[in-house]
Amino acid sequence: MKKLASIVVSIVLALVPMNMAFANENGTPMNISSKSAILMDVGSGQILYEKNAHDKLPPASVTKVMTMLLCVEALDSGKIKLEDKVQISDTAASMGGSQIFLEPGETQDVNSLLKGIAVASANDACVAMAEYVAGSVEGFVDNMNAKAKELGMKDTHFANTNGLPVDNHYTSAYDIALMSRELLKHESITKYLTTWMDQVVVGKKQVTVGLANTNKMVKHYQGTTGVKTGFTQEAKYCLSASAKRGDTHLVSATLGAETSPERFKDASNLLNFGFANYESVKLCSKDDNIATLTLDKAEDNKVNLVAKENLTVLIKKGGNKDFTRRIKVSENPNIPIKKGTVLGQVEVYQGKKMVGKVDLVNTKDINKASYLQMLQRVIDSML
C-alpha cells in the first residue's frame, strides 16, 4: 500500500470501561477440567481466559476446522461450487473412524461432502474434498500448514486432513481459536455447523445415511454457531465451540478432557463467563461506506471505500468510555486498481492503545481516465 494519510475522529459512545486483562488475573471464574483451554472474542481476537493455551497437543477431529476453512475459501472464491460432482477415490473410501460410508468410484456433490464433514465429522469426506480442492491429500495438507502460518498459528503442524492419529500432527487451544474465528467469518458455513440432524445418500445402491451433529451444544446451548468436536484415545475429548448473543460472538477451545460431558461443561462455563462479563460493540459493519478517496487520474475520480469486514470492540460491562477512530487512506495509489484492493484502514484507539482495526477496500474496479476526461477536468478547474 502507498503512504497513508490519516484522519482522526473522536467518537464518544455510551460504553462500558475497557478491560483487556485475562479473566484469570482476577481469580479463575470457573473450574476448567480440560488439559488446555481458551476463550476468545471472535470479533476482536481478544483473549478472555486461558489455561495452558499454547501447549502443543493432538486435536483429533477439531483438525477439520482447518479442512472446512480451506473448502469454504475455495467456494467463496469460485474455485469450486456446491453442485460440483466429486469422484470418490479408493483412498477416501478407505478412511476409518467417523464416516458417511463413501464407496470407491461413486460421485458426490460438494454440498453433501461438506455436510458430512461439518455435521458427522466424516473422515472419508475430508479426504474426498482434499483431493478435489488441491488435487491430492498431500497438496491439501501443505495448504493447511500454509494457512496456519498465515493466521499466526505458531503451535501447529498438520499431517492429515481429519485428525486421525499420526506423528507430527498437533495444535494448541490458542491456534484452534484462531482458525475457528477465521472459519466463522464465512457466513456460508453457518448452516452446516448448526445443523442438528440431516441425511445424505451414498454408495452405488443409494443408501440413505442419517447424520447427527457431534457438537451437542448445537441443540443445548443458546446462540450456538459451531464449530467442531474431536476424540481419539491419545487426544481425549476436544472441542471448539462458538456462540453469539447480540453482537457478542465468542469461541472457546478445550483440549484433553477426560470425558465428553466434561468438554461440553468446560465450553459452556467459558462461554457463560464471557457473556456474563463482556459485550461487543459494533463500530462499523462490513460494506459500510467509511471514506471517499479522490483520484484525479481515475475514470471515476471519487472512489468510495468500505469496511472489508465488521469492526467490533469488546468491552467489560460497566460505565462509559471514549474512543478515537483514525481513518487512513492511500495517497496516490497506482491505477488501474482491482475491486476489493486494500486502500485504507480504520483504527480504533482507547487512549494511546489501539483496540481494533479494519481494512478499507474499493467496491469496483478503478480504471485510468481517458485523455479527453483529463482535458475536461483541466477546463472545469479553470472555469
Side-chain angles (χ1 to χ4, degrees), residues 264-276:
F264 290 121
K265 180 180 178 181
D266 284 350
S268 296
N269 284 340
L270 286 166
L271 292 170
N272 286 342
F273 170 80
F275 287 125

Side-chain angles (χ1 to χ4, degrees), residues 14-304:
L15 302 181
V16 297
M18 187 73 69
N19 182 348
M20 294 301 181
F22 294 152
N24 52 340
E25 288 182 359
N26 297 320
T28 303
M30 69 220 65
N31 181 22
I32 300 299
S33 59
S34 295
K35 186 181 296 185
S36 174
I38 196 168
L39 177 65
M40 181 181 288
D41 175 46
V42 171
S44 66
Q46 177 61 41
I47 300 169
L48 304 181
Y49 173 87
E50 60 177 357
K51 173 187 176 182
N52 305 323
H54 290 279
D55 285 3
K56 297 177 180 179
L57 298 168
S61 286
V62 180
T63 298
K64 292 161 186 165
V65 171
M66 180 60 81
T67 301
M68 288 187 286
L69 174 57
L70 294 188
C71 290
V72 80
E73 284 186 340
L75 281 166
D76 288 351
S77 70
K79 181 180 180 180
I80 64 174
K81 295 180 175 62
L82 288 175
E83 59 271 19
D84 286 355
K85 299 298 181 183
V86 179
Q87 186 165 10
I88 306 305
S89 68
D90 290 344
T91 302
S94 69
M95 290 294 105
S98 301
Q99 57 185 302
I100 52 174
F101 305 100
L102 299 171
E103 294 182 4
E106 74 163 295
T107 58
Q108 280 291 341
D109 58 33
V110 169
N111 178 63
S112 295
L113 293 174
L114 194 55
K115 187 190 302 182
I117 298 170
V119 181
S121 193
N123 297 323
D124 47 0
C126 286
V127 172
M129 283 302 301
E131 292 174 335
Y132 186 65
V133 172
S136 69
V137 172
E138 294 76 15
F140 192 86
V141 171
D142 286 343
N143 293 343
M144 293 171 71
N145 285 311
K147 189 66 180 181
K149 184 177 180 180
E150 178 187 325
L151 294 176
M153 297 168 57
K154 297 179 180 180
D155 312 321
T156 296
H157 184 268
F158 295 114
N160 61 32
T161 65
N162 45 38
L164 287 170
V166 65
D167 291 340
N168 205 30
H169 186 89
Y170 55 83
T171 188
S172 67
Y174 177 80
D175 284 0
I176 289 171
L178 286 182
M179 66 178 177
S180 298
R181 180 186 176 217
E182 190 68 19
L183 178 63
L184 292 165
K185 291 179 182 179
H186 296 267
E187 295 179 1
S188 58
I189 197 65
T190 303
K191 67 177 181 180
Y192 299 98
L193 297 177
T194 56
T195 295
W196 176 238
M197 302 283 286
D198 209 325
Q199 60 186 30
V200 291
V201 178
V202 301
K204 296 174 183 177
K205 294 184 178 180
Q206 296 291 279
V207 177
T208 300
V209 175
L211 308 177
N213 204 315
T214 56
N215 182 7
K216 306 309 177 188
M217 294 183 71
V218 169
K219 186 175 179 65
H220 300 294
Y221 192 86
Q222 178 190 347
T224 294
T225 56
V227 293
K228 192 70 197 71
T229 60
F231 171 78
T232 63
Q233 289 295 335
E234 179 188 15
K236 302 299 183 184
Y237 292 90
C238 307
L239 176 64
S240 177
S242 61
K244 187 175 184 180
R245 296 179 185 175
D247 289 327
T248 307
H249 199 178
L250 305 176
V251 61
S252 64
T254 58
L255 293 169
E258 289 298 322
T259 68
S260 183
E262 283 181 1
R263 67 177 168 186
F264 290 121
K265 180 180 178 181
D266 284 350
S268 296
N269 284 340
L270 286 166
L271 292 170
N272 286 342
F273 170 80
F275 287 125
N277 291 278
Y278 296 86
E279 63 176 316
S280 294
V281 175
K282 185 181 288 187
L283 299 181
C284 70
S285 298
K286 180 180 178 181
D287 296 328
D288 276 357
N289 194 350
I290 303 297
T292 301
L293 182 61
T294 300
L295 298 173
D296 292 335
K297 296 181 180 180
E299 191 174 55
D300 295 322
N301 61 343
K302 298 293 184 180
V303 178
N304 291 329

Side-chain angles (χ1 to χ4, degrees), residues 332-350:
N332 303 318
N334 294 325
I335 304 172
I337 304 170
K338 289 185 177 181
K339 174 183 176 181
T341 300
V342 176
L343 294 173
Q345 195 171 74
V346 176
E347 299 174 346
V348 176
Y349 290 83
Q350 184 190 38

Side-chain angles (χ1 to χ4, degrees), residues 7 157 230 326 340:
I7 305 168
H157 184 268
R326 179 174 296 165

